[in-house]
Amino acid sequence: MKKTILFTAILAVGLNLTSCEDFLSEDNPNKIPVENYFTTENDVERAVYGAYMALRSGSCMGEGSTMYTEERSDNTGRLDNQSSAGEPFQFTDFSLLPSNTYLKSHWQAMYKTVNNANFALKGIQTVTFSDEKEKDNYEAEARFVRALVYFDIVRKWGDAPLVTSYLATPAEIEAHTFREDKKKIYKQIVEDLEFGIEKSTLPNHQPEGNKGRANKAAMAGLLGKVYLTMAHVLDTQNRKEYLNSAKTYLEMCLGMKQFNRLNEVTYDDNAQTGLFAVANKSTCPEILFQIVYKQGDKDYHSSIAADNQSIGITCNSQYPSKGQGTYVNEDLVNEYEATDKRKAFSVVYADNPKAMAYCITKFRDTSDAAGTLAYGGNDWIILRYADVILMMAEVYEALGEETKAIPYLDEVRERAGLPGYIESIQNTDYRSKYPTLKLAILHERRVELAFENQRWYDLLRFFTIDELVTYMHAKDPNCYGISNLQNFNEKDIYYPIPYDEWKLNPEGMYQNEGY
């Protein structure tokens, strides 16, 4: 067994992100031996672009990664348990096997991105810069990508290999093929993000031509989410400290926003301030960090609008869909309140006999530029301000300061056309579903951030393991497709270590319990 399974490919094709129109103009650095690659600052820039490029993969964190996160939650699923030997269905059915080839691809793509970031960091220390500030900025970008990916890794697998240097040989890879305690991984994530916030001169928000690159607001928002997660999954004795750190960085992020109230940005994709409007993707003030796709390009376009669209539905794309699209669990559909503006924008019922189910309409591109081939231009949003605002509500609720939490919750509800929390809790139906402020915040996060890969992580953060098992088992199976929610148990808070990775070092790559 070759030791290259853990870290595939030295470096992805570089991206020129200085302009959305020149998105893919760089050559492949793999053609140049690694030891001779870094000679100029431009080589470092191209290597950093290679790290961003690796993020785009659907097997990593790009738009196709919903199978690994969204379908794991109670939001979406599959009505087909046979395609591709039934392996995709294992994620939503909680019957995931260590031998699952999609799981292996996900692991490889994540570590490929980490290694690409480490490759850039190696170059940064090799090249002499005319301006040390530029050196720090490139380092901050590479560290941001590494932190972003490791945050997903540690939440999906817990303990995992922690690699902070570029690995180029089988011997180097073999030496790092062991799992580190998740506390050490979180510590590294914090250090990487703090570096960018404290040492770089990156802008709070990237200008239009640089969307898809790291910025300080995204770093602060992500670090706030990291600390918030640590407060729930690490040692309880540090919980209050972690919550206060989360509050510090979330407040820092909110202090950088370029609008006043959230309702200044709308869900109307025809409006100039439309949050998900493709035409606004580089100017929308709510988006903190996104993975960029190129409209009209046969290789680097976005497929999410067409992929989600069910047969008979035309609001997503000009592509004439023939299948069911992405299956939305009725459990989620039923969670939208009657007057919630987000429901009609986010989901629609496809009554074609080949569908007869809800599909996702949140991501749309019906432009002629995308055309009937559906070469869409949607960017994949990783972090936006509504998420940060709701995390502020979550932090204050966890600290026992409910009166400070409610205004943040209300700001999100205001944009959705819903009454504030104090009024809503007087409603019998609302109060019966969300009897506590904590559950009201979780509800709001679900409908606001639906299909954006947040729900599964929210469930892991809001509940203890036992509470989450009870929560999932209490759901109506008739509202959850053909997946068996009774399969969910304590082991499912983490993914199994892919079988081929475990086999490389059975002791150091010990398997997660239950697999």
Side-chain angles (χ1 to χ4, degrees), residues 159-203:
D159 299 349
L162 177 60
V163 185
T164 57
S165 59
Y166 174 65
L167 305 182
T169 68
E172 290 173 342
I173 295 169
E174 183 175 4
H176 287 81
T177 307
F178 65 92
R179 300 174 70 182
E180 290 277 13
D181 189 296
K182 60 180 178 290
K183 294 178 186 177
K184 190 171 181 180
I185 298 174
Y186 276 109
K187 183 175 183 292
Q188 184 62 53
I189 294 170
V190 169
E191 289 179 4
D192 281 346
L193 294 174
E194 284 182 339
F195 178 91
I197 293 170
E198 297 171 5
K199 297 290 184 66
S200 81
T201 57
L202 291 172

Short mmCIF file of all heavy atoms in Angstrom, two decimals, residues 159-203:
data_model
loop_
_atom_site.label_atom_id
_atom_site.label_comp_id
_atom_site.label_asym_id
_atom_site.label_seq_id
_atom_site.Cartn_x
_atom_site.Cartn_y
_atom_site.Cartn_z
N ASP A 159 -10.20 13.49 16.54
CA ASP A 159 -8.74 13.35 16.44
C ASP A 159 -8.38 13.04 14.99
O ASP A 159 -9.06 12.25 14.32
CB ASP A 159 -8.25 12.21 17.33
CG ASP A 159 -8.55 12.43 18.81
OD1 ASP A 159 -8.96 13.55 19.17
OD2 ASP A 159 -8.39 11.47 19.59
N ALA A 160 -7.30 13.66 14.50
CA ALA A 160 -6.92 13.48 13.10
C ALA A 160 -5.45 13.83 12.93
O ALA A 160 -4.86 14.49 13.79
CB ALA A 160 -7.78 14.37 12.20
N PRO A 161 -4.83 13.39 11.83
CA PRO A 161 -3.45 13.81 11.57
C PRO A 161 -3.36 15.33 11.47
O PRO A 161 -4.17 15.96 10.79
CB PRO A 161 -3.13 13.14 10.22
CG PRO A 161 -4.04 11.97 10.16
CD PRO A 161 -5.30 12.42 10.82
N LEU A 162 -2.40 15.90 12.17
CA LEU A 162 -2.19 17.34 12.15
C LEU A 162 -0.86 17.61 11.45
O LEU A 162 0.20 17.27 11.96
CB LEU A 162 -2.17 17.91 13.56
CG LEU A 162 -1.90 19.41 13.69
CD1 LEU A 162 -2.95 20.22 12.94
CD2 LEU A 162 -1.86 19.83 15.16
N VAL A 163 -0.94 18.21 10.28
CA VAL A 163 0.25 18.44 9.47
C VAL A 163 0.39 19.93 9.20
O VAL A 163 -0.49 20.54 8.62
CB VAL A 163 0.16 17.68 8.13
CG1 VAL A 163 1.46 17.82 7.35
CG2 VAL A 163 -0.17 16.22 8.36
N THR A 164 1.49 20.50 9.63
CA THR A 164 1.72 21.94 9.45
C THR A 164 2.93 22.23 8.58
O THR A 164 3.38 23.37 8.51
CB THR A 164 1.89 22.62 10.82
OG1 THR A 164 2.96 22.00 11.52
CG2 THR A 164 0.61 22.52 11.64
N SER A 165 3.49 21.20 7.95
CA SER A 165 4.60 21.39 7.02
C SER A 165 4.30 20.62 5.74
O SER A 165 3.55 19.64 5.75
CB SER A 165 5.91 20.90 7.63
OG SER A 165 5.83 19.53 7.97
N TYR A 166 4.87 21.07 4.65
CA TYR A 166 4.62 20.43 3.36
C TYR A 166 5.26 19.05 3.31
O TYR A 166 6.44 18.88 3.66
CB TYR A 166 5.18 21.31 2.24
CG TYR A 166 5.11 20.66 0.88
CD1 TYR A 166 3.88 20.37 0.30
CD2 TYR A 166 6.27 20.31 0.20
CE1 TYR A 166 3.81 19.77 -0.93
CE2 TYR A 166 6.21 19.71 -1.04
CZ TYR A 166 4.98 19.44 -1.61
OH TYR A 166 4.90 18.83 -2.83
N LEU A 167 4.50 18.05 2.90
CA LEU A 167 4.99 16.68 2.81
C LEU A 167 5.19 16.32 1.34
O LEU A 167 4.25 16.35 0.55
CB LEU A 167 3.98 15.72 3.45
CG LEU A 167 3.59 16.02 4.90
CD1 LEU A 167 2.62 14.96 5.42
CD2 LEU A 167 4.81 16.13 5.79
N ALA A 168 6.43 15.96 1.00
CA ALA A 168 6.75 15.72 -0.40
C ALA A 168 7.17 14.29 -0.69
O ALA A 168 7.18 13.88 -1.84
CB ALA A 168 7.86 16.67 -0.84
N THR A 169 7.52 13.53 0.34
CA THR A 169 8.03 12.18 0.11
C THR A 169 7.20 11.16 0.88
O THR A 169 6.57 11.49 1.90
CB THR A 169 9.49 12.06 0.57
OG1 THR A 169 9.55 12.16 2.01
CG2 THR A 169 10.35 13.15 -0.05
N PRO A 170 7.20 9.91 0.45
CA PRO A 170 6.48 8.86 1.19
C PRO A 170 6.94 8.75 2.64
O PRO A 170 6.12 8.52 3.53
CB PRO A 170 6.81 7.59 0.40
CG PRO A 170 7.04 8.08 -0.99
CD PRO A 170 7.73 9.40 -0.84
N ALA A 171 8.23 8.94 2.88
CA ALA A 171 8.74 8.85 4.25
C ALA A 171 8.16 9.96 5.13
O ALA A 171 7.80 9.73 6.29
CB ALA A 171 10.27 8.92 4.25
N GLU A 172 8.07 11.17 4.58
CA GLU A 172 7.50 12.29 5.34
C GLU A 172 6.02 12.04 5.62
O GLU A 172 5.53 12.33 6.73
CB GLU A 172 7.67 13.59 4.55
CG GLU A 172 9.11 14.06 4.47
CD GLU A 172 9.27 15.25 3.54
OE1 GLU A 172 8.36 15.50 2.72
OE2 GLU A 172 10.31 15.93 3.64
N ILE A 173 5.32 11.51 4.65
CA ILE A 173 3.91 11.21 4.83
C ILE A 173 3.71 10.14 5.88
O ILE A 173 2.87 10.26 6.78
CB ILE A 173 3.27 10.79 3.49
CG1 ILE A 173 3.30 11.97 2.50
CG2 ILE A 173 1.84 10.31 3.68
CD1 ILE A 173 2.94 11.60 1.09
N GLU A 174 4.52 9.10 5.80
CA GLU A 174 4.41 8.00 6.76
C GLU A 174 4.65 8.48 8.18
O GLU A 174 3.98 8.05 9.13
CB GLU A 174 5.40 6.90 6.40
CG GLU A 174 5.30 5.67 7.31
CD GLU A 174 6.21 4.54 6.86
OE1 GLU A 174 6.97 4.74 5.89
OE2 GLU A 174 6.15 3.47 7.47
N ALA A 175 5.58 9.41 8.33
CA ALA A 175 5.90 9.93 9.66
C ALA A 175 4.76 10.74 10.27
O ALA A 175 4.72 10.94 11.49
CB ALA A 175 7.16 10.79 9.59
N HIS A 176 3.84 11.19 9.44
CA HIS A 176 2.71 11.99 9.94
C HIS A 176 1.39 11.22 9.91
O HIS A 176 0.33 11.81 10.13
CB HIS A 176 2.56 13.26 9.11
CG HIS A 176 3.62 14.28 9.37
ND1 HIS A 176 4.87 14.22 8.80
CD2 HIS A 176 3.62 15.39 10.16
CE1 HIS A 176 5.59 15.25 9.21
NE2 HIS A 176 4.86 15.98 10.03
N THR A 177 1.44 9.92 9.66
CA THR A 177 0.22 9.14 9.56
C THR A 177 -0.19 8.63 10.94
O THR A 177 -0.07 7.45 11.26
CB THR A 177 0.41 7.97 8.56
OG1 THR A 177 0.88 8.50 7.32
CG2 THR A 177 -0.92 7.26 8.31
N PHE A 178 -0.62 9.55 11.75
CA PHE A 178 -1.17 9.22 13.07
C PHE A 178 -2.09 10.35 13.50
O PHE A 178 -1.95 11.49 13.05
CB PHE A 178 -0.06 8.99 14.09
CG PHE A 178 0.78 10.21 14.40
CD1 PHE A 178 0.46 11.06 15.45
CD2 PHE A 178 1.88 10.52 13.60
CE1 PHE A 178 1.21 12.18 15.72
CE2 PHE A 178 2.65 11.64 13.86
CZ PHE A 178 2.33 12.47 14.92
N ARG A 179 -3.03 10.04 14.38
CA ARG A 179 -4.02 11.01 14.81
C ARG A 179 -3.54 11.80 16.03
O ARG A 179 -2.97 11.23 16.95
CB ARG A 179 -5.34 10.31 15.14
CG ARG A 179 -5.94 9.56 13.97
CD ARG A 179 -7.18 8.77 14.37
NE ARG A 179 -8.31 9.63 14.68
CZ ARG A 179 -9.49 9.19 15.09
NH1 ARG A 179 -9.70 7.87 15.26
NH2 ARG A 179 -10.48 10.02 15.34
N GLU A 180 -3.78 13.10 15.99
CA GLU A 180 -3.51 13.98 17.14
C GLU A 180 -4.81 14.26 17.87
O GLU A 180 -5.90 14.26 17.28
CB GLU A 180 -2.90 15.30 16.67
CG GLU A 180 -1.49 15.20 16.11
CD GLU A 180 -0.43 15.21 17.21
OE1 GLU A 180 -0.79 15.03 18.40
OE2 GLU A 180 0.75 15.38 16.86
N ASP A 181 -4.71 14.52 19.16
CA ASP A 181 -5.87 14.89 19.96
C ASP A 181 -6.55 16.12 19.36
O ASP A 181 -5.88 17.07 18.95
CB ASP A 181 -5.43 15.18 21.40
CG ASP A 181 -6.60 15.36 22.34
OD1 ASP A 181 -7.38 16.31 22.17
OD2 ASP A 181 -6.74 14.54 23.27
N LYS A 182 -7.86 16.11 19.33
CA LYS A 182 -8.60 17.22 18.72
C LYS A 182 -8.30 18.56 19.40
O LYS A 182 -8.40 19.62 18.74
CB LYS A 182 -10.11 16.95 18.73
CG LYS A 182 -10.75 16.74 20.09
CD LYS A 182 -12.25 16.48 19.92
CE LYS A 182 -12.94 16.21 21.25
NZ LYS A 182 -12.56 14.90 21.82
N LYS A 183 -7.92 18.55 20.66
CA LYS A 183 -7.57 19.80 21.33
C LYS A 183 -6.39 20.48 20.65
O LYS A 183 -6.34 21.70 20.51
CB LYS A 183 -7.22 19.53 22.80
CG LYS A 183 -8.38 19.04 23.65
CD LYS A 183 -7.90 18.76 25.07
CE LYS A 183 -8.99 18.13 25.90
NZ LYS A 183 -8.50 17.79 27.26
N LYS A 184 -5.43 19.67 20.23
CA LYS A 184 -4.24 20.21 19.56
C LYS A 184 -4.62 20.78 18.19
O LYS A 184 -4.06 21.79 17.76
CB LYS A 184 -3.18 19.12 19.41
CG LYS A 184 -1.83 19.61 18.96
CD LYS A 184 -0.78 18.52 19.05
CE LYS A 184 0.59 19.04 18.62
NZ LYS A 184 1.63 17.98 18.71
N ILE A 185 -5.57 20.14 17.53
CA ILE A 185 -6.02 20.64 16.23
C ILE A 185 -6.73 21.98 16.40
O ILE A 185 -6.48 22.94 15.65
CB ILE A 185 -6.94 19.62 15.54
CG1 ILE A 185 -6.17 18.32 15.28
CG2 ILE A 185 -7.50 20.18 14.24
CD1 ILE A 185 -7.02 17.19 14.73
N TYR A 186 -7.62 22.09 17.38
CA TYR A 186 -8.29 23.36 17.63
C TYR A 186 -7.28 24.45 17.97
O TYR A 186 -7.42 25.61 17.54
CB TYR A 186 -9.31 23.21 18.76
CG TYR A 186 -10.65 22.69 18.30
CD1 TYR A 186 -11.06 21.40 18.63
CD2 TYR A 186 -11.50 23.48 17.55
CE1 TYR A 186 -12.30 20.91 18.21
CE2 TYR A 186 -12.73 23.00 17.13
CZ TYR A 186 -13.12 21.73 17.46
OH TYR A 186 -14.34 21.25 17.04
N LYS A 187 -6.26 24.11 18.73
CA LYS A 187 -5.22 25.08 19.08
C LYS A 187 -4.53 25.61 17.83
O LYS A 187 -4.29 26.82 17.70
CB LYS A 187 -4.20 24.44 20.02
CG LYS A 187 -3.10 25.37 20.52
CD LYS A 187 -2.23 24.65 21.55
CE LYS A 187 -1.16 25.57 22.13
NZ LYS A 187 -0.15 25.92 21.12
N GLN A 188 -4.25 24.72 16.89
CA GLN A 188 -3.60 25.15 15.65
C GLN A 188 -4.53 26.02 14.81
O GLN A 188 -4.10 27.01 14.20
CB GLN A 188 -3.17 23.92 14.83
CG GLN A 188 -2.40 24.27 13.56
CD GLN A 188 -1.10 24.99 13.85
OE1 GLN A 188 -0.28 24.51 14.64
NE2 GLN A 188 -0.90 26.15 13.23
N ILE A 189 -5.80 25.67 14.76
CA ILE A 189 -6.77 26.48 14.02
C ILE A 189 -6.81 27.90 14.58
O ILE A 189 -6.80 28.88 13.84
CB ILE A 189 -8.17 25.83 14.10
CG1 ILE A 189 -8.20 24.49 13.35
CG2 ILE A 189 -9.23 26.77 13.52
CD1 ILE A 189 -9.45 23.68 13.58
N VAL A 190 -6.86 27.99 15.90
CA VAL A 190 -6.88 29.31 16.55
C VAL A 190 -5.62 30.10 16.20
O VAL A 190 -5.69 31.29 15.85
CB VAL A 190 -7.03 29.15 18.08
CG1 VAL A 190 -6.79 30.49 18.77
CG2 VAL A 190 -8.41 28.62 18.43
N GLU A 191 -4.46 29.45 16.28
CA GLU A 191 -3.21 30.13 15.97
C GLU A 191 -3.18 30.63 14.53
O GLU A 191 -2.73 31.75 14.25
CB GLU A 191 -2.03 29.19 16.22
CG GLU A 191 -1.76 28.90 17.69
CD GLU A 191 -0.61 27.94 17.89
OE1 GLU A 191 0.03 27.54 16.88
OE2 GLU A 191 -0.32 27.58 19.05
N ASP A 192 -3.65 29.82 13.61
CA ASP A 192 -3.65 30.21 12.20
C ASP A 192 -4.53 31.43 11.95
O ASP A 192 -4.15 32.35 11.22
CB ASP A 192 -4.11 29.04 11.32
CG ASP A 192 -3.03 28.01 11.10
OD1 ASP A 192 -1.85 28.29 11.39
OD2 ASP A 192 -3.36 26.90 10.62
N LEU A 193 -5.71 31.44 12.55
CA LEU A 193 -6.62 32.56 12.34
C LEU A 193 -6.16 33.81 13.08
O LEU A 193 -6.30 34.93 12.57
CB LEU A 193 -8.03 32.17 12.77
CG LEU A 193 -8.69 31.07 11.92
CD1 LEU A 193 -10.02 30.64 12.52
CD2 LEU A 193 -8.89 31.55 10.48
N GLU A 194 -5.60 33.64 14.26
CA GLU A 194 -5.09 34.79 15.00
C GLU A 194 -3.95 35.46 14.25
O GLU A 194 -3.81 36.69 14.28
CB GLU A 194 -4.62 34.36 16.39
CG GLU A 194 -5.76 34.12 17.37
CD GLU A 194 -5.27 33.74 18.75
OE1 GLU A 194 -4.10 33.29 18.86
OE2 GLU A 194 -6.04 33.88 19.72
N PHE A 195 -3.14 34.66 13.58
CA PHE A 195 -2.04 35.23 12.81
C PHE A 195 -2.58 36.22 11.78
O PHE A 195 -2.07 37.33 11.64
CB PHE A 195 -1.24 34.13 12.10
CG PHE A 195 -0.11 34.66 11.25
CD1 PHE A 195 1.16 34.84 11.79
CD2 PHE A 195 -0.32 35.02 9.93
CE1 PHE A 195 2.19 35.35 11.01
CE2 PHE A 195 0.71 35.54 9.15
CZ PHE A 195 1.97 35.71 9.69
N GLY A 196 -3.59 35.82 11.04
CA GLY A 196 -4.13 36.69 10.01
C GLY A 196 -4.75 37.95 10.56
O GLY A 196 -4.61 39.04 9.98
N ILE A 197 -5.44 37.82 11.69
CA ILE A 197 -6.10 38.97 12.30
C ILE A 197 -5.07 39.95 12.85
O ILE A 197 -5.20 41.18 12.69
CB ILE A 197 -7.06 38.51 13.40
CG1 ILE A 197 -8.23 37.72 12.79
CG2 ILE A 197 -7.59 39.71 14.20
CD1 ILE A 197 -9.10 37.03 13.82
N GLU A 198 -4.02 39.43 13.49
CA GLU A 198 -3.07 40.28 14.20
C GLU A 198 -1.88 40.71 13.36
O GLU A 198 -1.35 41.82 13.56
CB GLU A 198 -2.57 39.53 15.44
CG GLU A 198 -3.67 39.22 16.45
CD GLU A 198 -3.21 38.28 17.56
OE1 GLU A 198 -2.00 37.96 17.60
OE2 GLU A 198 -4.05 37.88 18.39
N LYS A 199 -1.45 39.89 12.41
CA LYS A 199 -0.20 40.17 11.70
C LYS A 199 -0.40 40.70 10.28
O LYS A 199 0.47 41.38 9.75
CB LYS A 199 0.66 38.90 11.63
CG LYS A 199 1.11 38.36 12.98
CD LYS A 199 2.12 39.25 13.65
CE LYS A 199 2.64 38.66 14.95
NZ LYS A 199 3.41 37.42 14.74
N SER A 200 -1.52 40.38 9.66
CA SER A 200 -1.68 40.76 8.26
C SER A 200 -2.26 42.16 8.12
O SER A 200 -2.82 42.72 9.06
CB SER A 200 -2.58 39.75 7.54
OG SER A 200 -3.95 40.03 7.79
N THR A 201 -2.12 42.70 6.91
CA THR A 201 -2.77 43.96 6.57
C THR A 201 -3.84 43.71 5.51
O THR A 201 -4.18 44.60 4.72
CB THR A 201 -1.75 44.99 6.05
OG1 THR A 201 -1.05 44.43 4.91
CG2 THR A 201 -0.76 45.37 7.12
N LEU A 202 -4.37 42.50 5.49
CA LEU A 202 -5.47 42.19 4.58
C LEU A 202 -6.66 43.09 4.89
O LEU A 202 -6.87 43.49 6.04
CB LEU A 202 -5.88 40.72 4.72
CG LEU A 202 -4.87 39.68 4.22
CD1 LEU A 202 -5.33 38.27 4.61
CD2 LEU A 202 -4.70 39.78 2.71
N PRO A 203 -7.49 43.40 3.90
CA PRO A 203 -8.66 44.26 4.15
C PRO A 203 -9.72 43.53 4.96
O PRO A 203 -9.73 42.31 5.02
CB PRO A 203 -9.16 44.56 2.74
CG PRO A 203 -8.73 43.39 1.92
CD PRO A 203 -7.40 42.98 2.48
#
